[in-house]
């Protein structure tokens, strides 16, 4: 479905014109859109149609986003990335940091 | 997400392989942009591509019967099933692309015969009972193979497998129900079910791949968590699951050596014809040529559609 061109032939110019789209689904009202996979399409409208056919054959979604993969900016995947350091030492952002006696109600 | 992968060995400091090993050891998932050994990446690309190709080629044996389904109900079911196979292929190509593979290259490698697909799809479907037996045995074997892959160490593959396994359950059940219906029919219909079972039983056992002592990559694949059980373990599990289903259905599995082994707690079964398996895998099965020719024709016949859509998109992007 995605792209053309035999490996045996030089690649056709058409091929690069079917860019990769990432697909995000809202499973039902009240939930966030969640990434489910990717597909190739000639344009965003076709990407939506393909996403519907590919990722919602059994009512898995009530709303679809498609985003050209090349437009996504991502952080580095490394868990120990210094990018995330600023939140590493701020335990006081969590409720459990504060000692409150057990007999204080509704806390 | 399908963003550019970090490259393998090149420029990797010692902390990167250690991080990879640690993630595997802790049973956590490797994600697309993580550092990974080149051999892990290439093993996965090969595994996922072969799986994707199998889903795509797997549309043909059953698609063959869509125009001759015996009722509208059966036709709707069969179309839905074949559509699912296409969808499974797409999920898997999508997963392979997260490893840096190019989808068009993978299709090219299938069509030029440089990548393989499951040998089972090189057998012909001679009667409508085959549609039922494929759902029962072939999809049953596929489920056995695939459920453990939902825990593959590679995240995108594992997630694709979760989706696929959910849908495969429908495939197996529609097949078994079809066979139960035929077994309640005429003697001729029962004979068709038996004949289809006779033809697909052994090829289904071959779907798990060569015996463990002839499967050199198993140890490394298990260490990496891209394979969870050995071929022989999965084959045994499939036999144990299937024998009671065959009894309930009222068909005989074509193996005179098949019997319960109390001591082992498993069914014993006869030797698989690995010479046949090798012949089919290397291109000499009954339908290899036909399957590849059909796939190539579909690809070539679709070229104008891909080109027209690309031309339309380019035109729409240009300011008027």
């Amino acid at each position: 479905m995605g792209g053309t061109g035999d490996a045996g032939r030089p690649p056709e110019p058409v091929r690069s014109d079917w860019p990769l789209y990432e697909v995000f689904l809202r499973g039902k009202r009240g939930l966030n859109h969640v990434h489910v996979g990717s597909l190739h399409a000639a344009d965003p409208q076709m990407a939506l149609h393909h996403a519907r056919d590919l990722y919602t054959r059994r009512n898995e979604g009530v709303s679809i986003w498609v985003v050209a993969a090349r437009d996504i900016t991502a952080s580095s995947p490394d868990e120990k990335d210094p990018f995330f350091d600023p939140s590493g030492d701020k335990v006081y952002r969590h409720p459990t940091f504060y000692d409150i006696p057990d007999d204080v109600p509704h806390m | 997400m399908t963003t550019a992968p970090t490259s393998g060995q090149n420029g990797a400091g010692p902390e990167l392989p250690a991080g990879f090993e640690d993630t595997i050891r802790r049973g956590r998932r490797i994600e697309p942009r993580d550092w990974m050994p080149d051999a892990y990446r290439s093993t996965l690309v090969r595994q996922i591509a072969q799986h994707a190709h199998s889903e795509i080629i797997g549309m043909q044996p059953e698609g063959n019967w869509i125009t001759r389904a015996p009722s509208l109900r059966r036709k709707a079911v069969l179309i839905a099933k074949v559509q699912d196979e296409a969808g499974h292929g797409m999920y898997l190509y999508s997963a392979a692309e997260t490893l840096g593979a190019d989808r068009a290259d993978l299709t090219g490698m299938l069509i030029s015969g440089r990548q393989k697909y499951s040998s089972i799809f090189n057998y012909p479907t001679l009667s409508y009972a085959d549609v039922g037996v494929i759902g029962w045995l072939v999809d049953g074997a596929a489920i056995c193979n695939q459920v453990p892959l939902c825990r593959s160490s590679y995240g995108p593959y594992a997630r694709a497998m979760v989706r696929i396994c959910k849908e495969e359950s429908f495939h197996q059940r529609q097949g078994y129900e079809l066979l139960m219906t035929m077994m309640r029919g005429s003697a001729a219909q029962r004979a068709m079910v038996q004949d289809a079972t006779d033809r697909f039983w052994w090829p289904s056992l071959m779907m798990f791949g060569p015996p463990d002592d002839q499967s050199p990559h198993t140890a490394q694949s298990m260490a990496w968590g891209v394979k969870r059980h050995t071929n022989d373990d999965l084959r045994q599990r499939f036999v144990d699951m299937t024998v009671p289903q065959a009894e309930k259905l009222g068909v005989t599995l074509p193996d005179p050596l098949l019997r319960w082994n109390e001591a082992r707690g498993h069914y014993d079964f006869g030797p698989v014809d690995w010479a046949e398996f090798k012949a089919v895998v290397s291109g000499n099965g009954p339908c290899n040529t036909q399957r590849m020719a059909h796939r190539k024709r579909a690809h070539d016949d679709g070229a104008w559609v891909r080109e027209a859509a690309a031309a339309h998109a380019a035109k729409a992007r240009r300011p008027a």
Side-chain angles (χ1 to χ4, degrees):
Chain A
M1 204 185 272
T4 66
D6 284 1
R9 297 190 300 226
E12 299 157 59
V14 171
R15 188 167 140 167
S16 58
D17 289 344
W18 278 53
L20 188 67
Y21 288 85
E22 300 293 337
V23 180
F24 300 79
L25 281 188
R26 184 198 296 288
K28 59 181 182 188
R29 288 175 179 280
L31 298 180
N32 289 321
H33 285 76
V34 174
H35 181 245
V36 290
S38 66
L39 48 77
H40 288 265
D43 58 43
Q45 205 56 44
M46 184 194 263
L48 268 185
H49 283 130
H50 283 179
R52 177 201 59 191
D53 294 345
L54 188 54
Y55 290 106
T56 65
R57 288 196 302 284
R58 289 176 176 80
N59 301 317
E60 293 96 332
V62 296
S63 165
I64 304 174
W65 290 346
V66 291
V67 183
R70 62 165 177 264
D71 291 337
I72 292 177
T73 306
S75 67
S76 145
D78 193 334
E79 279 179 66
K80 298 185 189 72
D81 193 327
F83 186 71
F84 295 106
D85 278 356
S87 77
D89 57 356
K90 296 182 178 59
V91 286
Y92 47 85
R93 282 179 174 170
H94 298 276
T96 48
F97 180 73
Y98 302 94
D99 275 335
I100 306 283
D102 288 343
D103 53 0
V104 179
H106 308 301
M107 187 69 77
Chain B
M1 215 174 58
T2 321
T3 41
T6 41
S7 64
Q9 310 293 0
N10 300 334
E15 73 279 6
L16 289 174
F20 171 83
E21 295 297 339
D22 186 52
T23 303
I24 298 282
R25 195 171 44 247
R26 289 154 68 188
R28 304 180 71 171
R29 298 288 180 266
I30 303 295
E31 293 296 344
R33 296 166 69 248
D34 289 340
W35 183 91
M36 61 187 84
D38 288 337
Y40 177 86
R41 184 187 302 279
S42 60
T43 296
L44 272 167
V45 168
R46 193 178 60 240
Q47 183 183 0
I48 298 172
Q50 178 168 331
H51 190 171
H53 298 331
S54 300
E55 300 281 359
I56 296 300
I57 297 292
M59 289 192 278
Q60 293 186 37
E62 292 176 281
N64 188 35
W65 284 96
I66 288 176
T67 54
R68 284 164 287 170
S71 69
L72 275 177
R73 178 180 181 272
R74 294 290 171 198
K75 187 172 191 157
V77 168
L78 188 52
I79 290 173
K81 185 180 179 230
V82 172
Q83 277 181 320
D84 273 354
E85 310 293 1
H88 295 177
M90 295 299 128
Y91 304 155
L92 291 161
Y93 285 130
S94 169
E97 282 186 303
T98 67
L99 290 158
D102 178 283
R103 194 177 305 214
D105 287 345
L106 297 179
T107 298
M109 284 200 273
L110 168 64
I111 289 173
S112 62
R114 278 174 297 155
Q115 283 182 341
K116 304 234 176 279
Y117 55 90
S118 175
S119 59
I120 191 76
F121 302 116
N122 289 315
Y123 292 87
T125 42
L126 304 180
S127 82
Y128 209 77
D130 289 21
V131 172
V133 165
I134 286 175
W136 173 40
L137 295 181
V138 175
D139 294 318
I143 290 170
C144 248
N145 257 331
Q146 290 170 358
V147 167
L149 295 176
C150 296
R151 293 183 296 115
S152 168
S153 64
Y154 187 59
Y157 190 36
R159 293 191 286 273
M161 293 315 307
V162 168
R163 192 174 269 274
I164 287 172
C165 285
K166 278 186 197 160
E167 299 181 354
E168 288 286 350
S169 174
F170 141 61
H171 297 182
Q172 194 187 24
R173 291 173 66 101
Q174 66 81 32
Y176 196 78
E177 186 233 39
L178 190 164
L179 297 176
M180 288 198 308
T181 307
M182 288 186 80
M183 293 302 283
R184 286 194 298 268
S186 65
Q189 286 174 311
R190 281 190 289 278
M192 284 165 73
V193 175
Q194 184 61 57
D195 172 63
T197 304
D198 290 347
R199 283 182 288 108
F200 277 95
W201 173 248
W202 290 107
S204 299
L205 293 190
M206 294 175 196
M207 284 175 67
F208 297 93
D212 293 347
D213 55 11
Q214 293 164 44
S215 179
H217 302 300
T218 292
Q220 177 63 79
S221 291
M222 289 182 70
W224 275 336
V226 297
K227 188 168 180 169
R228 294 294 186 181
H229 304 282
T230 70
N231 297 351
D232 286 334
D233 283 350
L234 290 168
R235 194 168 7 251
Q236 180 70 61
R237 185 178 296 189
F238 174 68
V239 170
D240 291 347
M241 277 170 39
T242 307
V243 171
Q245 293 169 351
E247 286 167 0
K248 194 84 186 157
L249 195 57
V251 295
T252 308
L253 296 173
D255 179 358
L257 299 175
L258 186 69
R259 62 176 56 86
W260 179 250
N261 183 326
E262 191 65 49
R264 288 202 312 126
H266 293 290
Y267 285 92
D268 289 337
F269 54 98
V272 176
D273 182 354
W274 293 113
E276 176 182 321
F277 174 76
K278 286 198 183 80
V280 176
V281 166
S282 55
N284 298 313
C287 297
N288 296 56
T289 310
Q290 180 188 337
R291 300 293 185 237
M292 292 296 282
H294 185 87
R295 179 68 192 87
K296 185 171 186 328
R297 192 164 60 244
H299 187 68
D300 292 346
D301 289 352
W304 73 269
V305 178
R306 296 190 294 272
E307 285 161 19
H312 175 75
K315 193 174 167 189
R317 275 195 304 273
R318 270 200 304 272

